[in-house]
Amino acid sequence: MSPRHETLHDARSTRSAAPAQIRRKPQPRDADVIIIGAGAAGIAAARNLRRHGVDSLILEARDRPGGRAQTIALAGQAVDIGAHWLHAADANALVRQAKRLGLRLSEAAQEPLLIARTGERADPQSYVAFMRRWESVYDAMIAHPGSGPARAADTVFSQIDDTPSRFDDTIRFLHGPFDSGVGLDTIDASDFAAAVDDADLFVEGGYGALILRLARGLAIHYETPVTSIDWSGAGVRVETPRGTLSARAVLVTAPLPLLQSEAIRFAPHLPLETLQAIHALRPALYEHVVLSWADHPFTDAVNRLVAFEGDARDNLGMLANIDGAHLHYADIAAQIVAACPDPRDRAGYVREFLGARFGSRALARCDVLAASDWAGDPWTGCAWMYAPVGAHGARAALREPVGERIHFAGEASSATQWGTIGGAWDEGERAADLIRAGLTAPVGGAVIQAA
Ligand SMILES: Cc1cc2nc3c(=O)[nH]c(=O)nc-3n(C[C@H](O)[C@H](O)[C@H](O)COP(=O)(O)OP(=O)(O)OC[C@H]3O[C@@H](n4cnc5c(N)ncnc54)[C@H](O)[C@@H]3O)c2cc1C
């Protein structure tokens, strides 16, 4: 049975409207602070500034807030087509926000189901061996002190005492493409070790819906892509197809691929250190394929991670029975995403993989409902940004403001929660604090008070 291509959700469908439509919308106005992007970082910053009475305006390229957090309806169920897991629950500000709003949070099981190469669940002895090895590899990876020459996370395999295991490539896949969107042979060991890792939660109604709710009441101009930032004079002048706006400071939260391709240009050019930081981090690739699978083999598992014993790259990970329904994520990452640039090919890859593991008859009532395409999305271009070997310091460099009026924030500038909504949110808060301090700092002997 072929995938139902026509029902695939393509994130690219959210591209901005034609200029003629844009002209009919109300003109955005000048503001003390302009925020570029209404994703988690931009929303957190705008809420912070509003809380402190600072006049700010978000300019968003799409026709919706949330960025890489988006919940869509599929088969009557709310499904996140971007971020879904509330990672690092103790540190994650969105957990506190969800609780404040009275939303139900459920805990994600930390131990995956392991499917052997035969398609059967791994026998208990193999499962114990797999879990032991997984934990010892992980412990060694996070124990990396961050000193000495930069090295790839994968080097840890040659340093642990245990003898190599038949599960090593499966573990490489789980910590690499599945967790990080890139192979462990590429990612900086310090970047991996710096990431906070504790319990993961899911939120009732979807992560995207939570972020959408937190954007309510903020001053956001949609379908207003920023094309350039002029900081040659005092303050900044921000250019959009709907006019040029002035502000005293700008916060850029657009994903780094947009800055790398100069979709947003700066005049004069950004300083070398900032440009180096922007270009040092690289796009990690990770995409969801959402399945409706009536007679799936994960019957007793709700919101359960499924791992497949197999290859370090040519593999996938699943989240079975999302919220107890017959919908499942089959997630592909890194080279497999790059090799399948069309979402339909990603859907085909998933069916082929599952068919090879469980037999084609097992897929008789398995339909692909949606496949994300954040890699091909014009306002994203990645799932998140990873630090290649030697580039871990770029995240800190991004946090340095330019000319005291250009600030950057987003998942990429977070050292401890990079690649996550929680990290983007904290970064938005941090940048807003810094901007507020700058607005009230003495300039030429006078104190300029924020509105
Ligand atoms: C498939 C997938 C699964 C993921 N899973 C998880 C998960 O389970 N848990 C988790 O925590 N994280 C997950 N992530 C990562 C998470 O989604 C991101 O880290 C987070 O959403 C980034 O927030 P941000 O504010 O930094 O950027 P974005 O959310 O990308 O926000 C930036 C905004 O800027 C806008 N923009 C871009 N260019 C312009 C321009 N020129 N002018 C105006 N606006 C512009 C964009 O439209 C966007 O709205 C996942 C990501 C993907 C793609």
Side-chain angles (χ1 to χ4, degrees), residues 185-339:
D185 51 351
T186 310
I187 189 171
D188 190 298
S190 298
D191 211 40
F192 194 97
V196 179
D197 187 43
D198 52 47
D200 295 316
L201 302 175
F202 301 114
V203 62
E204 170 189 6
Y207 213 168
L210 170 61
I211 300 298
L212 186 74
R213 204 163 151 181
L214 294 169
R216 275 187 203 155
L218 296 174
I220 306 178
H221 277 266
Y222 296 106
E223 298 176 337
T224 310
V226 170
T227 52
S228 69
I229 297 169
D230 180 341
W231 57 294
S232 56
V236 290
R237 287 173 61 73
V238 174
E239 200 177 311
T240 82
R242 297 171 59 194
T244 302
L245 309 177
S246 297
R248 293 163 66 191
V250 64
L251 172 59
V252 182
T253 75
L256 289 198
L258 277 290
L259 303 181
Q260 292 173 343
S261 67
E262 297 193 35
I264 300 176
R265 292 182 313 281
F266 292 83
H269 287 305
L270 291 169
L272 187 60
E273 312 81 70
T274 312
L275 283 175
Q276 280 171 338
I278 287 170
H279 288 273
L281 299 172
R282 304 303 309 158
L285 303 178
Y286 188 95
E287 303 286 356
H288 293 307
V289 174
V290 184
L291 305 176
S292 165
W293 194 355
D295 39 12
H296 61 85
F298 320 114
T299 42
D300 55 344
V302 172
N303 282 334
R304 189 81 187 268
L305 203 61
V306 180
F308 296 87
E309 184 183 353
D311 195 74
R313 296 159 196 257
D314 189 0
N315 205 335
L316 56 78
M318 291 189 65
L319 185 69
N321 288 310
I322 310 169
D323 294 336
H326 290 305
L327 299 190
H328 316 262
Y329 288 118
D331 292 342
I332 60 169
Q335 282 99 337
I336 300 300
V337 171

Side-chain angles (χ1 to χ4, degrees), residues 128-177:
V128 169
F130 162 75
M131 286 304 292
R132 278 212 188 111
R133 181 70 173 169
W134 189 16
E135 278 159 18
S136 63
V137 169
Y138 182 72
D139 289 347
M141 287 194 1
I142 58 168
H144 182 261
S147 59
R151 60 192 177 103
D154 197 74
T155 53
V156 80
F157 280 89
S158 58
Q159 287 160 1
I160 35 184
D161 293 338
D162 307 1
T163 46
S165 143
R166 76 176 222 234
F167 298 113
D168 280 357
D169 277 351
T170 310
I171 291 166
R172 280 191 170 91
F173 173 77
L174 292 173
H175 287 316

Side-chain angles (χ1 to χ4, degrees), residues 35-43 59-62 64-69 81-87 92 202 207 221 224-227 253-255 258 263-264 284 286-288 331 372 374-375 377-380 382-385 409-412 417-425:
I35 299 169
I36 302 175
I43 292 168
L59 303 178
E60 167 55 52
R62 302 176 206 267
R64 61 164 183 87
R68 282 167 270 177
I81 200 72
H84 181 59
W85 300 65
L86 282 72
H87 292 304
N92 191 332
F202 301 114
Y207 213 168
H221 277 266
T224 310
V226 170
T227 52
T253 75
L258 277 290
I264 300 176
Y286 188 95
E287 303 286 356
H288 293 307
D331 292 342
S372 66
W374 298 99
D377 175 73
W379 307 119
T380 314
C382 65
W384 51 81
M385 302 303 286
E411 58 81 15
Q417 294 184 68
W418 54 267
T420 72
I421 299 254
W425 188 273

